[in-house]
Amino acid sequence: MKTLYFDCFSGISGDMVIGALIDAGADPIILETELKKLNIDEEYQLKWNKIVKNGISSTKFDVLLTKDGRNHHHVHDHHHRSYKDIVELIESANFAEQVKSISLRIFKKIGQAEGHIHGLPLEEVHFHEVGAVDSIIDIVGAAILIHQLGIETVKSSPIPVGTGEIHIDHGIYPIPAPATLEILKEVPIEQSDIKAELTTPTGAAIVSVLAEEYCTIPSMKVKQVGHGAGTRTFEKHPNVIRVIIGEEL
């Protein structure tokens, strides 16, 4: 059984997941090619590079919005993509079945959380904070790479969320942000003294949909290890996620 274990000692975000999977040996060129099937490639550019984070060599993955992408999202609200728009985008993209179903499940998780918080049915959910191009890329990208790596089962450590406060569209909120907390229902979260948003809604949705179990590192023969870097840098520990891929014993 080919197992992927998310070691989330510094939380989880979409870009950290993709960085870690590329770092573990997934092919970013295949990622780029597959993502073109969404037909939104005029809105973004992808960038990935090796960096050293607190002494740990890791891969940093970034989605850069082009002028088209920015214009699309900074006009009034009705230009934001709705949940239905995103579903259509994914369904019409001709992906492998696993890629399509993982992507749709993750987006549904976020859509339901946003709907619950704002008191809206799923059909009426529009994405502001997470609907931008980068979370479409992060979510569909994670699905593409997991499919490419032939992962059969996913497990994860408990999820640290961080502490402090965060500025969202509707004002200042305590961490974890409302959507993140809603998505992490039934997921073991872990206390952390780091004053930062360690886990984003996108990262929370990826792990909560994929992980079948939250545990310490399972008994396995390790084949690949990858480190994906987050944007922030902390003094005392590397802000990376570690993925461990191997055959479970």
Side-chain angles (χ1 to χ4, degrees), residues 40-59:
I40 55 170
D41 34 302
E42 74 289 347
E43 294 184 39
Y44 67 86
Q45 282 178 307
L46 303 184
K47 188 177 141 219
W48 59 89
N49 54 310
K50 287 264 189 202
I51 64 168
V52 175
K53 204 88 171 159
N54 300 44
I56 303 282
S57 167
S58 48
T59 296

Side-chain angles (χ1 to χ4, degrees), residues 11-219:
I12 185 167
S13 66
D15 56 332
M16 286 166 83
V17 168
I18 295 201
L21 294 172
I22 292 171
D23 204 65
D27 186 344
I29 304 303
I30 289 180
L31 174 68
E32 227 170 11
T33 310
E34 282 288 307
L35 284 169
K36 287 202 165 74
K37 293 178 178 177
L38 289 167
N39 282 326
I40 55 170
D41 34 302
E42 74 289 347
E43 294 184 39
Y44 67 86
Q45 282 178 307
L46 303 184
K47 188 177 141 219
W48 59 89
N49 54 310
K50 287 264 189 202
I51 64 168
V52 175
K53 204 88 171 159
N54 300 44
I56 303 282
S57 167
S58 48
T59 296
K60 177 83 182 79
F61 174 77
D62 287 295
V63 179
L64 312 169
L65 290 188
T66 58
K67 198 155 161 288
D68 283 353
R70 280 199 302 276
N71 289 350
H72 190 89
H73 292 290
H74 285 208
V75 208
H76 300 293
D77 269 5
H78 59 267
H79 279 279
H80 283 293
R81 286 195 165 96
S82 70
Y83 173 72
K84 283 193 298 199
D85 295 335
I86 293 169
V87 169
E88 276 168 28
L89 209 59
I90 293 167
E91 284 187 332
S92 56
N94 191 20
F95 288 127
E97 195 51 47
Q98 187 194 20
V99 173
K100 185 172 87 171
S101 83
I102 288 175
S103 303
L104 290 173
R105 277 162 57 211
I106 295 171
F107 260 107
K108 188 169 191 182
K109 189 83 163 178
I110 299 178
Q112 285 171 330
E114 292 284 341
H116 183 83
I117 288 158
H118 301 302
L120 294 169
L122 197 51
E123 304 73 70
E124 287 174 36
V125 170
H126 279 67
F127 288 99
H128 321 265
E129 285 145 43
V130 288
V133 173
D134 47 0
S135 69
I136 297 174
I137 297 303
D138 286 346
I139 287 167
V140 177
I144 288 166
L145 295 182
I146 279 172
H147 177 69
Q148 190 208 316
L149 288 163
I151 304 301
E152 293 164 285
T153 177
V154 175
K155 298 184 176 183
S156 174
S157 66
I159 309 294
V161 289
T163 175
E165 52 190 36
I166 181 180
H167 292 258
I168 59 173
D169 279 3
H170 309 279
I172 297 174
Y173 248 83
I175 289 170
T180 307
L181 193 55
E182 184 63 31
I183 289 164
L184 291 174
K185 278 180 178 166
E186 300 302 321
V187 172
I189 63 177
E190 199 171 79
Q191 186 189 5
S192 159
D193 299 331
I194 292 172
K195 274 210 170 331
E197 183 188 32
L198 295 182
T199 292
T200 63
T202 305
I206 291 171
V207 74
S208 72
V209 164
L210 291 176
E212 292 169 26
E213 194 185 332
Y214 296 87
C215 52
T216 52
I217 299 174
S219 304

